[in-house]
């Protein structure tokens, strides 16, 4: 068996790949933002025992954490495109669908990994020493102020390692985008395979590409962890 | 430090008509508290005058910390009344209602309970700015003066985790003072410290007591209690068994439980 990477020098394929990588990174970035919003808000509802919102949050977390993300994506995609909401493009005046494949992938990533993030952040909050919380309460901090100024900043720092794996998981899961026809890096790869039949070589390359994206993400998280490290705290 | 705060919040059910100076600043009457099925306070009554320094002593688990936490509303009581200045503490339920009380009553803990993610200076300025809404520049000036008072000038930008226990506890005292309280509650603030750091913390408390700050101290430092306190309360199994000026209480205790306790600790 010989590996043939000649196709890699075709500018068209290069463009497909680069555009695909760009889309994958964008999907992941938007997904991560949404994941954090959902994770923090959900963890706050649970941690602060917000009446009427606790049970829905728990149901949401269990529902999204314990079902395949692919099923969730298809469900979102078919349901939302069925509703058929549209936006008017201010530049061209044309009507474009609100829930494109791209939006659905971002939503699905945000929801699936967000549900996991709720649990991760909650465990971080629980690891904040109760004495620190009592110190804040004794100074007159309300429950919400204590959460915002004391528990959340410390809790988020404590949950960086599991959050890093959640981010890596989100980036990997973004490869489902190809299944709702979003032109991510997997989509580019599929197109190239259809034209060149160099399946093995293309997949090898894609493997390396994902490795580089997730590796970069881990590096960034490590950088952030170093910057926000609390001097003298913990180990 | 001792400037009088405007009276805010819930007034006491029976407003003070007599002369303020003679009325106690803190008054607990028949306070009961249970955690689950365990009755921890079984009718505690005590009072502390403005500017008074009282110590609470007693065996472990007798309810000393619980008494302190009733005074600043960190725990709710089941029965009885707790009055601090113009506040009927047991009627304050919402977080917002508790803010004016927490402004007047500061607390210092055995484990310091500092904010580990903030610098020493921020630990002092956070609550006055975020809770009391004071101007950052004003608070900063006050905080720097307080750090000088507890002899920690130069540590403004250190984090609590980078300080020794004694230094952290002095930061905690300065943090309490930054709220400009009328009362400070001290809960075994030297119990977690190495012996050589105990005196540096006690010196700070001694200065405060001399300056007229109202202090309620739970402590195992009997000699210190004898020195600074106007009055000592001895608790055992959720009741105050005996109280009185330190001279009498230590020299001729009446209650056998106090006698036994003093034999053990002195
Ligand atoms: N939040 C709580 N929940 C349940 N039980 C509690 C709680 N706080 C205190 N207790 C119990 O109440 C009793 C009195 O506690 P407290 O902390 O007031 O004692 P203490 O006199 O301060 O003792 P120590 O000298 O050991 O600090 C103890 O038996 C303790 O286990
Ligand atoms: Mg105690």
């Amino acid at each position: 068996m010989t590996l043939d990477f000649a196709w890699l020098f075709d500018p068209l394929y290069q463009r497909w790949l680069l555009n695909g990588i760009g889309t994958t990174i964008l999907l992941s970035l938007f997904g991560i933002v949404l994941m954090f919003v959902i994770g923090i808000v959900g963890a706050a509802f649970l941690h602060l025992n917000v009446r009427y919102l606790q049970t829905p949050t728990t149901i949401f977390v269990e529902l999204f954490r314990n079902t395949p993300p692919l099923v969730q994506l298809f469900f979102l995609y078919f349901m939302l495109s069925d509703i058929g909401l549209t936006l008017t493009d201010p530049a061209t005046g044309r009507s474009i669908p609100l829930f494109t494949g791209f939006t659905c992938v971002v939503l699905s990533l945000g929801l699936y990994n967000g549900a996991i993030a709720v649990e991760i952040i909650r465990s971080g909050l629980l690891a904040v020493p109760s004495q620190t919380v009592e110190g804040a309460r004794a100074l007159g901090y309300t429950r919400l102020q204590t959460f915002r100024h004391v528990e959340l900043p410390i809790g988020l720092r404590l949950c960086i390692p599991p959050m890093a794996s959640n981010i890596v998981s989100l980036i990997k899961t973004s490869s489902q985008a190809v299944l709702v026809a979003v032109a991510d890096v997997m989509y580019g790869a599929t197109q190239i395979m259809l034209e060149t039949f160099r399946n093995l070589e293309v997949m090898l390359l894609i493997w390396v590409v994902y490795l580089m994206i997730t590796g970069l993400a881990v590096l960034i998280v490590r950088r952030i962890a170093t910057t926000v490290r609390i001097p003298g705290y913990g180990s | 430090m001792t400037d009088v705060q405007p009276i805010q919040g819930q007034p006491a059910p029976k407003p003070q008509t007599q002369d303020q100076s003679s009325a106690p600043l803190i008054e607990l009457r028949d306070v009961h508290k249970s955690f689950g099925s365990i009755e921890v306070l079984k009718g505690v009554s005590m009072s502390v005058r403005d500017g008074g320094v009282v110590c609470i002593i007693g065996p472990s688990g007798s309810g000393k910390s619980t008494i302190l936490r009733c005074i600043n509303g960190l725990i709710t009581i089941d029965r009885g009344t707790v009055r601090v200045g113009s506040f009927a503490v047991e009627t304050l339920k919402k977080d917002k209602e508790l803010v004016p009380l927490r402004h007047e009553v500061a607390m210092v803990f055995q484990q310091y309970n500092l904010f580990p993610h903030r610098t020493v200076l921020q630990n002092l300025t956070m609550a006055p700015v975020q809770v009391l809404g004071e101007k950052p520049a004003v608070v900063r000036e006050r905080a720097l003066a307080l750090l000088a008072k507890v002899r920690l000038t130069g540590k403004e930008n250190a984090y609590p985790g980078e300080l020794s226990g004694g230094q952290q506890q002095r930061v905690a005292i300065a943090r309490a003072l930054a709220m400009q309280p009328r009362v400070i509650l001290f809960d075994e603030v030297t119990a977690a410290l190495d012996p050589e750091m105990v005196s540096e913390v006690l010196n700070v408390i001694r200065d405060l007591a001399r300056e007229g700050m109202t202090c309620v101290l739970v402590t195992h430092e009997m000699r210190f209690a004898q020195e600074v306190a106007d009055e000592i309360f001895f608790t055992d199994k959720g009741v105050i068994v005996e109280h009185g000026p330190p001279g009498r209480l230590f020299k001729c205790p009446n209650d056998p439980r106090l006698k036994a306790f003093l034999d053990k600790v002195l």
Side-chain angles (χ1 to χ4, degrees):
Chain A
M1 189 178 70
T2 52
L3 294 177
D4 176 7
F5 279 99
W7 52 272
L8 201 47
F9 297 97
D10 186 324
L12 175 69
Y13 297 161
Q14 287 176 356
R15 208 174 64 233
W16 285 357
L17 281 173
L18 287 177
N19 284 345
I21 291 173
T23 305
T24 293
I25 291 177
L26 267 188
L27 283 172
S28 304
L29 280 180
F30 285 126
I32 289 168
V33 171
L34 186 60
M35 171 202 85
F36 266 109
V37 172
I38 291 176
I40 290 173
V41 171
F45 287 163
L46 295 181
H47 191 72
L48 297 172
N49 300 321
V50 182
R51 218 185 307 173
Y52 309 122
L53 287 174
Q54 234 179 338
T55 318
T57 308
T58 309
I59 293 172
F60 159 78
V61 169
E62 295 307 320
L63 192 68
F64 279 86
R65 215 167 49 127
N66 299 320
T67 53
L70 184 59
V71 176
Q72 296 167 18
L73 173 61
F74 279 161
F75 181 77
L76 272 174
Y77 187 64
F78 296 133
M79 183 187 74
L80 295 177
S81 57
D82 228 34
I83 299 173
L85 289 178
T86 56
L87 272 181
T88 312
D89 188 332
T92 61
R94 271 187 312 170
S95 167
I96 49 170
L98 177 59
F99 293 107
T100 57
F102 187 92
T103 339
C104 287
V105 174
V106 169
L107 279 178
S108 130
L109 291 174
L111 288 168
Y112 173 67
N113 292 94
I116 298 171
V118 170
E119 287 296 298
I120 292 176
I121 294 174
R122 206 160 77 102
S123 67
L125 293 171
L126 290 175
V128 176
S130 63
Q131 289 99 330
T132 310
V133 175
E134 193 177 37
R137 301 287 288 153
L139 286 165
Y141 281 86
T142 62
R143 202 65 198 79
L144 197 63
Q145 284 177 317
T146 308
F147 180 78
R148 168 159 144 48
H149 296 295
V150 179
E151 292 175 284
L152 192 61
I154 301 175
L156 281 180
R157 284 171 168 93
L158 295 178
C159 71
I160 288 178
M163 198 53 94
S165 0
N166 196 32
I167 287 172
V168 168
S169 139
L170 183 145
I171 294 170
K172 292 189 292 184
T173 314
S174 77
S175 61
Q176 291 173 355
V178 66
L179 299 169
V180 292
V182 174
D184 74 335
V185 71
M186 271 302 281
Y187 184 91
T190 332
Q191 296 301 104
I192 298 171
M193 287 194 290
L194 284 177
E195 294 201 0
T196 63
F197 304 106
R198 288 281 156 208
N199 298 0
L200 184 62
E201 288 87 342
V202 173
M203 272 307 126
L204 263 175
L205 179 78
I206 294 305
W207 204 341
V208 173
V209 165
Y210 273 108
L211 206 57
M212 282 166 59
I213 297 178
T214 53
L216 184 70
V218 169
L219 270 183
I220 293 172
V221 172
R222 275 206 204 127
R223 254 322 247 291
I224 294 173
T226 324
T227 347
V228 302
R229 197 182 64 84
I230 304 173
Y233 190 66
S235 53
Chain B
M1 285 315 102
T2 52
D3 50 344
V4 178
Q5 307 296 339
I7 307 290
Q8 305 150 299
Q10 209 101 0
K14 277 171 272 164
Q16 305 297 147
T17 42
Q18 75 266 54
D19 159 24
Q20 273 288 342
S21 59
S22 68
L25 180 59
I26 303 171
E27 192 165 28
L28 279 72
R29 277 210 202 125
D30 193 34
V31 172
H32 289 254
K33 174 68 186 178
S34 300
F35 289 112
S37 58
I38 309 159
E39 194 172 22
V40 175
L41 299 184
K42 304 167 186 164
V44 167
S45 300
M46 64 186 286
S47 61
V48 183
R49 66 172 179 84
D50 196 356
V53 177
V54 307
C55 288
I56 304 174
I57 61 171
S60 180
S62 60
K64 305 182 297 294
S65 302
T66 308
I67 293 174
L68 290 191
R69 282 169 174 73
C70 292
I71 296 175
N72 72 347
L74 274 181
I75 54 175
T76 56
I77 60 172
D78 303 334
R79 192 139 65 82
T81 58
V82 177
R83 198 182 52 74
V84 177
S86 60
F87 300 103
V89 178
E90 75 280 2
T91 64
L92 307 175
K93 293 277 154 24
K94 294 205 191 75
D95 280 358
K96 285 279 179 223
E97 298 172 342
L98 284 161
V99 171
L101 173 72
R102 304 263 161 89
H103 186 180
E104 300 219 332
V105 185
M107 187 160 182
V108 183
F109 302 85
Q110 181 174 344
Q111 301 295 339
Y112 333 127
N113 300 14
L114 294 171
F115 303 129
H117 61 304
R118 291 282 175 252
T119 64
V120 165
L121 188 63
Q122 288 169 336
N123 263 274
L124 268 64
T125 56
M126 275 171 77
V129 173
Q130 293 170 342
V131 176
L132 305 178
E134 292 186 61
K135 285 210 181 68
V138 177
V139 178
R140 196 188 139 83
E141 284 306 305
R142 188 162 78 224
L144 290 172
L146 286 169
L147 283 180
K149 186 185 171 83
V150 298
R151 293 181 279 282
L152 282 173
T153 301
K155 295 288 182 191
E156 292 82 3
N157 297 319
Y159 283 81
E162 299 174 312
L163 302 180
S164 74
Q167 291 173 325
Q168 290 190 58
Q169 196 57 292
R170 283 183 282 148
V171 174
I173 294 173
R175 182 177 73 168
L177 288 169
M179 294 293 278
Q180 300 186 298
R182 288 178 78 186
V183 183
I184 305 187
L185 313 173
F186 294 89
D187 192 358
E188 295 193 35
V189 294
T190 55
L193 298 178
D194 291 336
E196 70 269 23
M197 292 171 189
V198 169
S199 63
E200 67 187 45
V201 171
L202 292 184
N203 288 341
V204 171
I205 301 175
R206 184 184 294 112
D207 289 347
L208 286 177
R210 289 207 181 122
E211 288 162 19
M213 173 65 76
T214 309
C215 299
V216 183
L217 299 113
V218 169
T219 185
H220 287 306
E221 303 285 337
M222 293 305 151
R223 204 171 307 152
F224 184 69
Q226 197 158 2
E227 177 199 333
V228 297
D230 316 319
E231 190 162 24
I232 307 240
F233 291 83
F234 171 68
T235 57
D236 189 34
K237 301 201 174 70
V239 290
I240 289 174
V241 174
E242 193 171 341
H243 68 99
R248 186 192 69 66
L249 207 83
F250 283 115
K251 291 206 186 67
C252 45
N254 292 324
D255 195 279
R257 285 169 286 183
L258 175 55
K259 276 189 194 126
F261 178 75
L262 290 176
D263 282 345
K264 240 182 283 169
V265 297
L266 284 181

